[in-house]
Amino acid sequence: MEPEVSIEGSSMIQVAVVPIGTVPPNVLRDYYSMLLPLHTIPLSGISSFYTEHQKSPFAHQPWDSGTLRFKFVLGGATPSPWEDFQSHRKTLAVVGIVHCPSSPDLNAVVDQFANSYKSYPSSLVDRCFAFYPNDSQLEEGSKRGGNLRLFPPADRSTLEFHLNTMMQEVAASLLMEFEKWVLQAESSGTILKTPLDSQASLSSEEVIKAKKRRLGRAQKTIGDYCLLAGSPVDANAHYSTALELGRLTGDYFWYAGALEGSVCALLIDRMGQKDSALEDEVRYRYNSVILNYKKSQDNTQRVSPITFELEATLKLARYLCRRELAKEVVELLTTAADGAKSLIDASDRLILYIEIARLYGSLGYQRKAAFFSRQVAQLYLQQENRLAAISAMQVLAMTTKAYHVQSRSSISDHSIHNKGIGSDKADGGKIHHQSVVSLFESQWSTIQMVVLREILLSAVRAGDPLTAWSAAARLLRSYYPLVTPAGQNGLANALSNSSERLPPGTRCADPALPFIRVHSFPVHPRQMDIVKRNPAREDWWVGSAPSGPFIYTPFSKGDTNNIKKQELVWIVGEPIQVLVELANPCGFDLRVDSIYLSVHSGNFDAFPVSISLLPNSSKVITLSGIPTSVGPVTIPGCIVHCFGVITEHLFREVDNLLLGAAQGLVLSDPFRCCGSPKLKNVSVPSISVVPPLPLLISHVVGGDGAIILYEGEIRDVWISLANAGTVPIEQAHISLSGKNQDSVISHSSETLKSRLPLKPGAEVTFPVTLRAWQVGVADTDNTRHSKDGSCPSLLIHYAGPLKSSEDPNAVSPGRRLVVPLQICVLQGLSFVKAQLLSMEFPAHVSETLPKFNDASNSSLGEHVNSESKIDRLVKIDPFRGSWGLRFLELELSNPTDVVFEINVSVKLENSNEDNHLADQDATEYGYPKTRIDRDCSARVLVPLEHFKLPVLDDSFLTKDTPTNGIGGGRNASFSEKSSKAELNACIRNLVSRIKVHWHSGRNSSGELNIKDAIQAALQTSIMDVLLPDPLTFGFRLVKDGLESNNPDPVKESDLPESPASKSSVLAHEMTPMVAVVRNNTKDMIKMNLNITCRDVAGENCVDGTKSTVLWTGVLSDITIEIPPLQQINHSFCLHFLVPGEYTLLAAAVIDDANDILRARARATSAAEPIFCRGPPYHLRVLGNA
Amino acid sequence: MATTACFIIVSRNDIPIYEAEVGVAAKREDAAQLHQFILHAALDVVQDLAWTTSAMYLKSVDRFNELVVSVYVTAGHILYFIHTRLMLLHDSRNDDGIKSFFQEVHELYIKTLLNPLYLPGSRITSSHFDTKVRALARKYL
């Protein structure tokens, strides 16, 4: 069989083009390409070379419109056994091609051409074309003559023109040879044989039959020559005769041949016309041709003319090959394909399949074409040699489009279309199912794998490592789930073996493994936020961040995605990071020699990393790089150097793959089968690079770890800031953000400001004072919670020069550094409760007057005079006793594992400067430290004695207790509410003076924030704590009748050597005593004083019938008036009959009490008597009963 | 029962959503591949042929050697996206049996389509469907 058969093929003159001498392949191809356009030589063009020797047998030759057609066969064709049957199979002319520069010896060339010419016995004309001869060759050649034609060096068009002329000459010579041949055949006849005939046994009957047939066959052959000579009318006449004779003699084979020739003649005659009548005619005649060829087949013969039947079928199919007639063509081609079984010669079958594939291809049936192409490739592969393997590889490469397994290099234009889909998706965020499906068109995985495997096999056999690599990569990447682990290993080996034969650094368009997808684009670490700058304002950063309390606003809903996308800004010179996830779903260790971001915009330096992936594993890795110049950056994927070849892996493809996997269209999700969690589809944002900006980096001096503080602890933290950028910082501002902002007591922004502009590389350190907040109830169970966002942050807005040097119009943005203060608050001392305790210690009656409650006086004295700590204790003087002494009891527990020391201090800010020392104003009373061990609790008593005011006057009451009557005139408008507020203010004032400090370890200290608790505890009895009683009562023994009216209290307290002797009273003796009553108010008080004495049992032993105490003087209903702030003494004598313990009590009913007193006594009505009671005084009476 | 038969359902965009070798002949891998290749190639013929007739059963549309491709096109080909072709590659000539087979499988396929959890156009992975198809193949082919 012959390739590329067509109906018109019968009219083509086969010309062998043979290279003579050494002709480099590319030069030969060049000459051949010059020859090819000359396949049709018009008869009109050859008339100058044509001389009519005898009368031409081609009577109807159309000299004006007819043509001679050539079929150039490079390298020539082996003579066909069927060339007598169809003359166009004969090689009728030989053209030698000589490239003179490489074949200097023309003689040798001529000899060589003569030799090769001999192998074409049927050739009628032979010419040897020698190109680019040098001068000597030109001279020599011109002398030689003969069939050597020299083409002097010239440009291409000149050469083509020369060649055209030469071919016209060849055509003319051929025409003359044809005439000669036909004339000879007509006159003397000719012997025509086909392989069919040679097999026939020549019985006598056969010989007669053969003689009859000979005439018809001759006519047919003459017809063939007429066709070749470009004279269809003559040909038709001869064919008609031949058909007649053939039918008569039953020579079906030659009949069919003649019929074929007649169709060809018809078509040549009606050149250019294509009407349905002609088509029907051709179809009808060709069906008859096929039928006759079929009829001529004789099973007894060894040689079958089936190839002619198949060729005829293909010719008809090619003639009809149009979309509208697809059905008919398909039927013809299917029939032809069936014929393949009967073909004995493998190369015939090859040609048949190639032709069928071509016809299907031109019909638009790509899959059919691919199917037969694959059959062709299989036939090639059966030949087991390298050239056949190369052919197979090339044929298979053509099928890849139909099977959707193209190499990416062959679909560059297709990818643009794909890119459109990809960007749609990125824009819309959602992709329609329909378009997803279109990405996975024709997922015939089985056959795709087979095709790729065959490409791999043929490429290995053909020695094309790059194709092999590419096929193996596609196979592995797309079909790993269908390949067994052993097969995957085999493919990996194939990849490595191929790469060994490739030069290092080879690139391949098809990626292999791993699968790569974008994991995330870390938006600037919060330290590098870029803030738009408003040059018109002092606080230029305001308004750049979303204002208002809501992170999400419905107004920005529509384009949140876009905003998010566009927000990525990179800065020249600052390294960036992109997280990508790699997956190796195969069963072998994957070594990625290097992987880095692929950036096509050219303004980015990517840093390669190498990595190895275990079988069935995925890994998130960080790829980094540095933007080098301003402009947009697009990152379509990664460049991967793996298995010895460099490939580009596009994110979009993996995204599509994952999308398909989600829709159930693709075999498997490579990431999920590696156990990687499902990830939201991350689209590559549009990234822009801006000019360099200053870059502030911070660290906490002493380590960036969490600052561990106990509740209430106060500590200084030093924060160091450095400018790591290349631009100086000219503006900076520190502010606070986040929760618990009040825990930052102070931050020294002046330190930073004073160092501006901060040059690149400069560093500044400033302190921040922190106080730990209270740990909430909810999070007491987890002690460490620095991560939960409860920490405050320092926000540092800073900016470089307003205008950058590169673009003077644009305002360069500022930046924001967030320094999170990683504070980890541990639960410290916990406060359990506070309560107010009141105590009474009865005083002993002694010679000295007990120190009255004017405690500030005496305590101050102690405090001033003695440095010893013990003196700072609250001392209860047994002779003084204590009446109405109040303690604040704080119960604290220590749940931590360290020891705390509590230090209570009371700061007294006395605003009453009336009668006290000036230095008293900011006195602080310290109490000894209380130690609380771990897991223990302790109670701390805070005496509230120092708060008593010395004088009960209206100034306090009008201020603090506005319910009083004197101020009533002024304060009548005070509402109950405001009075309460006043009271609260008073309490707060009091509470704020009490400070509970704690220490733990070497450097932890703080203050316990228990104000609320204290306030609650004090709320009810604030008046008792703060205000002195209006009257103070005391008793004193009078020694020897002397009255030391004004004893020096200091002196008294310094000489306490024998208090017992002083205070002891003997029974049965008269004991003179003085009752001292002091008026603490600023008004004269008139009152009715009563003194009682009680024994141990509490019985009144002065009055009554069984009184055990006798007395002189007045003890009851003593009416006295005491001037303001004065005291009076009331003397009396007691006579104790029975030794033992006695208690003296003084009480007074105040007459005509004023409103101050009423308020103090909390009297409800004006009529109610105001009753004052002194503290009990103990008296020990010695002696025997 | 046919010695060789390969049944395949091709959904929109020519994606095969179900494949089964239903012949009794010993299974050979390369044969199975060839079957798929033939069926794949026959899609070209089907796509033209489907528009020339209103019949759903297109009988044998293509052949390669002694293997014949019969096709049944579901009625949805106006609505492009549920256009489905049931294709059978066989070597028997039992036209009636094949027709019945196609009709019953079509019914099964419709049931699958009606499953709200089945995404039209994705692979049919139901083992129930598979069992039923194989049973039908035994019955009719």
Side-chain angles (χ1 to χ4, degrees):
Chain A
M1 275 186 80
E2 285 190 25
E4 274 190 283
V5 287
S6 65
I7 296 178
E8 291 92 340
S10 307
S11 66
M12 288 183 181
I13 304 162
Q14 186 169 313
V15 180
V17 180
V18 285
I20 305 297
T22 337
V23 183
N26 54 335
V27 176
L28 179 63
R29 210 173 298 134
D30 196 37
Y31 295 145
Y32 184 60
S33 70
M34 282 199 283
L35 209 51
L36 273 182
L38 307 174
H39 56 79
T40 308
I41 304 286
L43 282 176
S44 53
I46 64 172
S47 50
S48 54
F49 299 101
Y50 175 76
T51 41
E52 195 170 20
H53 297 289
Q54 308 164 41
K55 181 164 168 32
S56 170
F58 310 132
H60 304 284
Q61 195 149 36
W63 278 99
D64 47 350
S65 63
T67 52
L68 287 191
R69 294 136 187 274
F70 293 106
K71 187 166 100 180
F72 298 106
V73 182
L74 191 61
T78 47
S80 160
W82 302 95
E83 60 184 26
D84 270 357
F85 175 61
Q86 285 174 329
S87 305
H88 69 266
R89 291 179 192 269
K90 288 180 187 166
T91 301
L92 293 169
V94 179
V95 170
I97 301 273
V98 181
H99 185 61
C100 291
S102 57
S103 314
D105 187 358
L106 281 184
N107 286 327
V109 165
V110 170
D111 291 346
Q112 221 176 332
F113 179 63
N115 278 336
S116 58
Y117 171 58
K118 272 181 198 140
S119 58
Y120 301 99
S122 58
S123 170
L124 303 173
V125 175
D126 55 297
R127 294 285 182 276
C128 187
F129 295 160
F131 295 93
Y132 295 103
N134 55 27
D135 292 348
S136 61
Q137 284 171 327
L138 209 53
E139 200 178 328
E140 188 193 342
S142 58
K143 275 184 226 157
R144 278 189 80 90
N147 53 13
L148 185 67
R149 300 283 181 274
L150 292 168
F151 289 76
D155 60 6
R156 196 180 163 96
S157 57
T158 319
L159 273 184
E160 277 172 358
F161 179 73
H162 280 184
L163 204 54
N164 190 16
T165 317
M166 286 302 158
M167 283 311 294
Q168 286 172 347
E169 193 262 339
V170 170
S173 310
L174 274 172
L175 185 57
M176 290 187 280
E177 289 294 330
F178 291 158
E179 286 174 358
K180 215 184 283 172
W181 193 92
V182 170
L183 285 175
Q184 191 197 346
E186 276 180 335
S187 58
S188 61
T190 179
I191 305 295
L192 298 162
K193 272 190 182 170
T194 65
L196 287 174
D197 302 318
S198 62
Q199 302 304 319
S201 54
L202 290 173
S203 60
S204 55
E205 196 185 336
E206 291 285 323
V207 173
I208 298 160
K209 207 174 176 183
K211 273 182 185 167
K212 280 183 186 167
R213 287 177 175 180
R214 194 186 294 158
L215 205 57
R217 292 181 180 189
Q219 281 300 318
K220 192 256 170 201
T221 311
I222 291 167
D224 283 350
Y225 275 101
C226 292
L227 260 186
L228 293 176
S231 174
V233 180
D234 288 314
N236 208 17
H238 288 286
Y239 283 136
S240 305
T241 322
L243 284 173
E244 204 65 27
L245 291 169
R247 201 174 52 226
L248 286 174
T249 52
D251 196 358
Y252 300 117
F253 187 63
W254 285 81
Y255 178 86
L259 202 55
E260 251 191 291
S262 74
V263 178
C264 179
L266 181 70
L267 285 179
I268 298 286
D269 196 30
R270 307 252 186 102
M271 183 71 81
Q273 299 176 20
K274 204 141 203 184
D275 51 48
S276 58
L278 177 67
E279 203 169 271
D280 286 344
E281 177 70 22
V282 171
R283 193 182 292 139
Y284 170 75
R285 287 205 209 170
Y286 246 91
N287 283 330
S288 159
V289 168
I290 294 163
L291 206 67
N292 279 293
Y293 276 131
K294 202 171 269 171
K295 241 192 257 178
S296 70
Q297 284 171 38
D298 184 350
N299 288 337
T300 58
Q301 283 172 340
R302 198 170 62 81
V303 178
S304 161
I306 177 132
T307 52
F308 289 92
E309 185 199 335
L310 292 177
E311 275 186 10
T313 312
L314 290 177
K315 282 175 183 171
L316 180 58
R318 172 154 294 160
Y319 178 73
L320 295 174
C321 188
R322 288 206 310 278
R323 195 75 203 180
E324 308 89 83
L325 304 173
K327 196 175 174 190
E328 204 175 340
V329 177
V330 168
E331 263 168 30
L332 284 170
L333 292 177
T334 311
T335 318
D338 285 342
K341 281 172 295 185
S342 350
L343 286 174
I344 299 145
D345 192 355
S347 66
D348 277 353
R349 202 178 300 166
L350 196 65
I351 292 167
L352 176 68
Y353 281 155
I354 290 174
E355 291 304 313
I356 292 175
R358 276 182 174 173
L359 287 171
Y360 272 127
S362 50
L363 198 61
Y365 282 10
Q366 294 307 330
R367 285 171 284 203
K368 273 283 188 192
F371 176 79
F372 283 101
S373 300
R374 183 179 161 266
Q375 296 293 324
V376 170
Q378 283 197 316
L379 290 174
Y380 272 129
L381 282 175
Q382 282 167 11
Q383 292 182 21
E384 308 253 336
N385 66 55
R386 183 161 174 263
L387 290 175
I390 292 174
S391 305
M393 193 180 82
Q394 286 168 347
V395 169
L396 283 171
M398 289 189 282
T399 68
T400 54
K401 187 158 184 285
Y403 291 125
H404 293 266
V405 287
Q406 302 104 302
S407 161
R408 209 200 275 164
S409 57
S410 65
I411 49 168
S412 50
D413 53 336
H414 183 63
S415 70
I416 295 164
H417 165 70
N418 265 357
K419 200 175 273 175
I421 292 174
S423 63
D424 274 359
K425 185 199 69 174
D427 291 341
K430 196 179 173 186
I431 180 161
H432 195 261
H433 178 78
Q434 204 58 43
S435 44
V436 179
V437 170
S438 69
L439 292 172
F440 302 102
E441 205 163 344
S442 287
Q443 286 283 327
W444 292 68
S445 44
T446 313
I447 60 182
Q448 285 168 335
M449 281 172 69
V450 170
V451 169
L452 284 175
R453 204 165 56 211
E454 282 170 0
I455 292 177
L456 175 60
L457 184 69
S458 59
V460 168
R461 213 181 272 174
D464 184 342
L466 187 58
T467 310
W469 198 95
S470 154
R474 276 177 275 167
L475 196 51
L476 194 57
R477 187 175 174 88
S478 308
Y479 305 102
Y480 67 88
L482 301 178
V483 181
T484 57
Q488 292 175 352
N489 265 324
L491 286 172
N493 288 339
L495 286 169
S496 336
N497 291 342
S498 307
S499 70
E500 276 166 23
R501 296 168 180 218
L502 288 167
T506 305
R507 285 177 178 264
C508 180
D510 300 298
L513 293 176
F515 289 91
I516 304 173
R517 66 172 166 183
V518 183
H519 181 271
S520 60
F521 276 82
V523 192
H524 289 288
R526 285 176 64 196
Q527 327 226 325
M528 299 187 183
D529 276 347
I530 295 173
V531 179
K532 218 176 127 196
R533 197 163 166 188
N534 182 0
R537 297 184 62 156
E538 177 75 12
D539 44 354
W540 46 264
W541 56 91
V542 174
S544 57
S547 57
F550 305 109
I551 296 169
Y552 171 84
T553 68
F555 304 107
S556 62
K557 190 195 174 219
D559 41 22
T560 39
N561 282 338
N562 290 343
I563 286 172
K564 212 175 189 176
K565 257 178 67 189
Q566 286 158 6
E567 260 177 11
L568 213 50
V569 172
W570 289 351
I571 297 154
V572 170
E574 285 184 19
I576 55 86
Q577 294 184 328
V578 176
L579 294 182
V580 296
E581 186 170 14
L582 310 184
N584 170 23
C586 293
F588 50 83
D589 280 336
L590 181 65
R591 169 91 199 146
V592 179
D593 295 322
S594 78
I595 171 170
Y596 54 93
L597 293 173
S598 149
V599 176
H600 291 177
S601 43
N603 53 352
F604 185 81
D605 280 348
F607 301 148
V609 291
S610 75
I611 191 171
S612 50
L613 288 162
L614 294 174
N616 296 312
S617 72
S618 67
K619 230 179 222 180
V620 176
I621 61 163
T622 306
L623 296 181
S624 50
I626 290 186
T628 52
S629 66
V630 178
V633 172
T634 49
I635 304 181
C638 288
I639 304 281
V640 172
H641 189 186
C642 187
F643 292 116
V645 171
I646 299 168
T647 51
E648 182 173 22
H649 293 236
L650 299 178
F651 296 137
R652 194 184 63 238
E653 288 180 358
V654 174
D655 287 346
N656 292 342
L657 183 72
L658 298 182
L659 210 57
Q663 304 265 15
L665 299 167
V666 203
L667 303 160
S668 163
D669 178 340
F671 291 94
R672 194 186 283 180
C673 74
C674 290
S676 166
K678 197 166 162 54
L679 200 66
K680 196 178 153 283
N681 206 346
V682 183
S683 60
V684 180
S686 57
I687 302 159
S688 60
V689 178
V690 299
L693 293 177
L695 174 62
L696 209 53
I697 53 170
S698 74
H699 73 269
V700 178
V701 175
D704 277 332
I707 306 158
I708 297 173
L709 299 175
Y710 290 105
E711 286 172 312
E713 184 171 345
I714 297 169
R715 194 189 290 179
D716 273 1
V717 174
W718 289 82
I719 288 176
S720 161
L721 297 175
N723 183 1
T726 54
V727 177
I729 296 168
E730 301 198 337
Q731 293 177 332
H733 177 267
I734 304 180
S735 56
L736 288 173
S737 80
K739 291 183 180 171
N740 291 314
Q741 287 187 18
D742 53 349
S743 67
V744 178
I745 298 172
S746 71
H747 54 84
S748 159
S749 55
E750 291 70 28
T751 317
L752 176 60
K753 287 228 167 92
S754 66
R755 291 285 301 275
L756 293 177
L758 201 60
K759 291 267 179 334
E763 194 171 341
V764 61
T765 307
F766 65 92
V768 172
T769 310
L770 301 176
R771 182 174 61 203
W773 58 87
Q774 297 295 313
V775 179
V777 183
D779 43 29
T780 42
D781 43 342
N782 54 333
T783 49
R784 291 181 179 265
H785 38 93
S786 61
K787 296 278 177 208
D788 62 359
S790 60
C791 296
S793 311
L794 291 182
L795 280 186
I796 304 176
H797 289 91
Y798 60 98
L802 200 59
K803 311 277 182 196
S804 69
S805 54
E806 288 173 36
D807 186 359
N809 293 323
V811 174
S812 71
R815 303 186 92 170
R816 177 176 55 202
L817 170 68
V818 180
V819 185
L821 297 167
Q822 300 255 318
I823 303 173
C824 174
V825 178
L826 298 181
Q827 198 184 10
L829 276 185
S830 67
F831 170 77
V832 180
K833 65 176 178 185
Q835 57 181 343
L836 198 65
L837 301 176
S838 61
M839 284 182 169
E840 284 182 16
F841 291 100
H844 284 264
V845 180
S846 66
E847 292 170 13
T848 54
L849 192 71
K851 281 163 280 170
F852 283 132
N853 224 349
D854 188 8
S856 60
N857 219 349
S858 64
S859 293
L860 177 71
E862 282 173 32
H863 180 64
V864 168
N865 291 340
S866 70
E867 298 295 315
S868 75
K869 271 191 172 174
I870 196 79
D871 288 342
R872 295 168 71 179
L873 284 170
V874 178
K875 284 188 283 189
I876 306 295
D877 185 347
F879 298 101
R880 178 188 134 203
S882 175
W883 180 248
L885 178 61
R886 286 183 166 78
F887 288 94
L888 183 64
E889 186 201 58
L890 304 174
E891 187 174 344
L892 303 172
S893 82
N894 177 7
T896 65
D897 48 2
V898 290
V899 176
F900 280 91
E901 284 187 336
I902 302 297
N903 190 9
V904 180
S905 66
V906 176
K907 195 174 182 184
L908 196 65
E909 287 175 82
N910 205 330
S911 54
N912 290 345
E913 58 280 282
D914 297 357
N915 51 358
H916 292 287
L917 297 170
D919 64 350
Q920 201 176 314
D921 277 0
T923 316
E924 201 169 305
Y925 292 97
Y927 298 96
K929 285 177 180 165
T930 309
R931 183 184 145 105
I932 308 178
D933 284 336
R934 41 185 290 200
D935 293 331
C936 289
S937 53
R939 293 177 186 196
V940 179
L941 287 179
V942 183
L944 298 177
E945 56 178 344
H946 304 294
F947 298 104
K948 277 264 201 279
L949 298 171
V951 180
L952 179 68
D953 62 357
D954 60 341
S955 72
F956 180 80
L957 281 178
T958 42
K959 196 176 83 187
D960 292 333
T961 53
T963 46
N964 73 69
I966 284 181
R970 280 188 294 161
N971 300 323
S973 62
F974 272 65
S975 68
E976 191 65 21
K977 198 175 167 188
S978 71
S979 76
K980 199 128 193 168
E982 291 275 338
L983 186 65
N984 283 340
C986 174
I987 294 169
R988 260 200 299 281
N989 180 35
L990 170 62
V991 165
S992 67
R993 291 191 218 156
I994 303 171
K995 292 213 185 317
V996 182
H997 290 279
W998 54 262
H999 290 269
S1000 174
R1002 229 179 328 171
N1003 52 7
S1004 291
S1005 68
E1007 194 180 323
L1008 219 50
N1009 186 10
I1010 50 173
K1011 287 192 169 128
D1012 294 344
I1014 296 177
Q1015 188 164 346
L1018 292 182
Q1019 189 82 44
T1020 50
S1021 47
I1022 183 66
M1023 210 117 74
D1024 296 335
V1025 174
L1026 279 178
L1027 298 180
D1029 291 330
L1031 297 172
T1032 339
F1033 301 93
F1035 292 95
R1036 191 154 57 94
L1037 294 176
V1038 181
K1039 208 87 179 184
D1040 307 329
L1042 278 172
E1043 258 187 55
S1044 61
N1045 201 5
N1046 194 12
D1048 183 4
V1050 177
K1051 214 173 159 192
E1052 292 294 325
S1053 66
D1054 277 349
L1055 303 165
E1057 53 240 73
S1058 55
S1061 65
K1062 276 185 184 177
S1063 63
S1064 63
V1065 171
L1066 292 174
H1068 309 295
E1069 273 184 21
M1070 281 300 268
T1071 312
M1073 295 178 91
V1074 172
V1076 183
V1077 183
R1078 181 184 162 87
N1079 180 359
N1080 284 330
T1081 68
K1082 285 182 172 174
D1083 295 304
M1084 172 78 80
I1085 292 181
K1086 195 181 168 195
M1087 63 172 181
N1088 198 350
L1089 179 70
N1090 281 304
I1091 296 166
T1092 53
C1093 181
R1094 294 174 193 273
D1095 62 9
V1096 186
E1099 296 282 330
N1100 190 343
C1101 43
V1102 180
D1103 296 332
T1105 51
K1106 295 170 81 177
S1107 59
T1108 52
V1109 179
L1110 305 176
W1111 77 94
T1112 60
V1114 191
L1115 287 187
S1116 60
D1117 287 338
I1118 313 152
T1119 305
I1120 1 175
E1121 283 190 0
I1122 312 175
L1125 297 175
Q1126 294 293 312
Q1127 60 182 23
I1128 56 125
N1129 294 339
H1130 172 74
S1131 301
F1132 58 95
C1133 285
L1134 293 181
H1135 181 91
F1136 297 93
L1137 301 176
V1138 181
E1141 291 274 346
Y1142 290 90
T1143 305
L1144 288 176
L1145 274 171
V1149 176
I1150 298 172
D1151 296 337
D1152 303 332
N1154 60 22
D1155 287 320
I1156 300 173
L1157 296 175
R1158 273 183 215 290
R1160 176 68 184 89
R1162 296 198 180 96
T1164 48
S1165 69
E1168 196 179 330
I1170 305 297
F1171 186 74
C1172 282
R1173 203 172 68 102
Y1177 277 72
H1178 277 219
L1179 190 66
R1180 174 173 282 262
V1181 178
L1182 302 174
N1184 31 20
Chain B
M1 180 108 189
T3 49
T4 308
C6 176
F7 176 64
I8 202 158
I9 300 179
V10 179
S11 180
R12 60 169 177 269
N13 291 82
D14 299 343
I15 301 176
I17 56 171
Y18 176 80
E19 312 158 16
E21 283 287 331
V22 288
V24 289
K27 289 194 171 54
R28 279 169 50 228
E29 201 191 342
D30 54 342
Q33 287 162 3
L34 180 67
H35 297 164
Q36 292 221 4
F37 272 108
I38 296 169
L39 286 166
H40 179 257
L43 280 173
D44 269 334
V45 182
V46 177
Q47 83 182 12
D48 279 357
L49 207 58
W51 296 96
T52 60
T53 170
S54 61
M56 294 169 93
Y57 178 42
L58 302 183
K59 300 197 176 147
S60 59
V61 296
D62 195 14
R63 66 177 196 278
F64 182 73
N65 296 345
E66 55 286 325
L67 298 169
V68 183
V69 179
S70 293
V71 174
Y72 185 92
V73 184
T74 66
H77 68 259
I78 296 158
L79 292 168
Y80 173 69
F81 73 99
I82 55 163
H83 172 43
T84 307
R85 285 138 290 173
L86 315 182
M87 304 178 78
L88 180 72
L89 182 77
H90 54 96
D91 54 1
S92 64
R93 292 276 169 185
N94 178 8
D95 244 11
D96 289 342
I98 290 169
K99 188 174 183 181
S100 313
F101 172 76
F102 274 139
Q103 279 166 344
E104 301 241 350
V105 173
H106 184 207
E107 215 162 292
L108 271 179
Y109 173 67
I110 287 170
K111 283 177 188 167
T112 308
L113 266 187
L114 292 176
N115 181 346
L117 300 179
Y118 173 75
L119 184 69
S122 61
R123 269 178 188 276
I124 299 176
T125 48
S126 157
S127 58
H128 177 76
F129 184 83
D130 189 61
T131 319
K132 281 282 187 68
V133 168
R134 285 172 195 279
L136 287 173
R138 270 195 297 280
K139 184 174 168 191
Y140 289 114
L141 302 181

